[in-house]
Amino acid sequence: MEVHPPRGYRERRSGVSGAVVWTREGVVDTDLPVLPDGSMDLLWIDGRLSVAGPDTRAYRPPAGFADRITGIRFFPGTAPALLGVPAHELRDTRADLADLWSPARLRRASELIAKAPNPAVGLETIARWRVSETDAADPMVRFIVISLGSGMSVSATAEELGTGPRRLHRLSLAAFGYGPKTLGRVLRMQRALALARGGMGLAEVAALVGYADQAHLTRDIREFSDMSPGQLLGLVEMSSV
């Protein structure tokens, strides 16, 4: 099947540190699936607030399930502190915010959306409100993302942090929804796809980002995306819904 990028997808940097605001018009069968990226999103879908949890496999939203989707994608590991929900409780799920927040907190969020000139601004306003009301994410979280994203091993990352493997695993489950080994594989895949889309050959990409060979790269991408690298290259990846 030929796969096309999402129709009308646009994104921009948010004023919230590390976040990206995006919009998408409709969903069709041939859209590129949402790929794991270590992130979580707060969504506004046809007037309803919801949350996209961390993915461990490609997610394909049902065709026609929404006319317009707006989201704010948070830097990996930072959303749980803002939403008040450990990431592993939302792994591979899409949940209504009403099921996660108290009526008072949900009402406040709905008011902020209603007063905003558009849903994108409203989601940013909600995010800023939560930033002002909550403690920042553990600074170890950002280091884990940078370390594993650069290709450092799980054991070396734990050693740099001065933590044992078990503590690193617990922290990763709460922040990212899965263990550090899976996070490292997800970040490596995203890096590989970005380099390949920039024109680098797959064999060179595999060697540069730490795969044993091109076949290893292909297996990893197939496991996470249910597609071959060739089906993904040249397409505009949309990372969250």
Side-chain angles (χ1 to χ4, degrees), residues 36-53:
D37 63 359
S39 299
M40 294 172 57
D41 298 57
L42 180 62
L43 308 172
W44 180 250
I45 304 175
D46 290 345
R48 188 182 77 255
L49 283 164
S50 61
V51 175

Side-chain angles (χ1 to χ4, degrees), residues 109-182:
S110 299
E111 290 171 351
L112 292 174
I113 281 278
K115 292 177 181 177
N118 57 64
V121 173
L123 290 175
E124 284 188 288
T125 304
I126 292 172
R128 290 193 184 96
W129 161 53
R130 296 308 301 151
V131 168
S132 70
E133 294 278 324
T134 60
D135 294 330
D138 190 322
M140 287 186 178
V141 167
R142 186 173 289 270
F143 178 83
I144 292 169
V145 174
I146 294 171
S147 177
L148 295 178
S150 69
M152 188 176 289
S153 69
V154 172
S155 59
T157 299
E159 185 175 350
E160 279 290 318
L161 287 171
T163 67
R166 290 184 179 180
R167 186 184 175 197
L168 177 59
H169 189 79
R170 289 195 301 270
L171 178 59
S172 295
L173 285 178
F176 309 110
Y178 32 68
K181 184 176 180 180
T182 298

Side-chain angles (χ1 to χ4, degrees), residues 5-241:
R7 296 177 303 159
Y9 178 76
R10 300 289 185 274
E11 68 174 40
R12 63 172 174 79
R13 288 186 179 181
S14 168
V16 178
S17 178
V20 173
V21 176
W22 55 269
T23 59
R24 174 178 180 174
E25 301 290 342
V27 178
V28 297
D29 288 330
T30 55
D31 282 345
L32 187 67
V34 178
L35 301 185
D37 63 359
S39 299
M40 294 172 57
D41 298 57
L42 180 62
L43 308 172
W44 180 250
I45 304 175
D46 290 345
R48 188 182 77 255
L49 283 164
S50 61
V51 175
D55 292 318
T56 62
R57 57 185 181 270
Y59 172 76
R60 291 183 181 275
F65 93 111
D67 293 325
R68 183 179 179 86
I69 309 167
T70 305
I72 180 167
R73 183 168 63 249
F74 297 103
F75 185 82
T78 60
L82 301 180
L83 299 175
V85 183
H88 64 84
E89 293 186 8
L90 298 173
R91 184 172 53 237
D92 293 320
T93 66
R94 270 63 182 163
D96 284 347
L97 197 60
D99 295 330
L100 306 176
W101 280 7
S102 67
R105 187 178 291 176
L106 181 66
R107 184 164 54 250
R108 173 62 172 157
S110 299
E111 290 171 351
L112 292 174
I113 281 278
K115 292 177 181 177
N118 57 64
V121 173
L123 290 175
E124 284 188 288
T125 304
I126 292 172
R128 290 193 184 96
W129 161 53
R130 296 308 301 151
V131 168
S132 70
E133 294 278 324
T134 60
D135 294 330
D138 190 322
M140 287 186 178
V141 167
R142 186 173 289 270
F143 178 83
I144 292 169
V145 174
I146 294 171
S147 177
L148 295 178
S150 69
M152 188 176 289
S153 69
V154 172
S155 59
T157 299
E159 185 175 350
E160 279 290 318
L161 287 171
T163 67
R166 290 184 179 180
R167 186 184 175 197
L168 177 59
H169 189 79
R170 289 195 301 270
L171 178 59
S172 295
L173 285 178
F176 309 110
Y178 32 68
K181 184 176 180 180
T182 298
L183 176 65
R185 291 178 62 210
V186 165
L187 296 176
R188 181 174 61 181
M189 176 193 68
Q190 289 285 352
R191 186 180 173 207
L193 289 173
L195 289 171
R197 288 197 178 103
M200 187 177 292
L202 291 179
E204 186 179 358
V205 168
L208 183 63
V209 304
Y211 290 100
D213 50 30
Q214 184 175 332
H216 182 198
L217 179 154
T218 298
R219 288 195 302 272
D220 240 29
I221 288 178
R222 281 192 180 279
E223 182 176 337
F224 284 121
S225 71
D226 297 323
M227 301 172 71
S228 70
Q231 289 174 295
L232 294 172
L233 295 179
L235 303 179
V236 178
E237 177 184 344
M238 208 282 279
S239 297
S240 297
V241 167

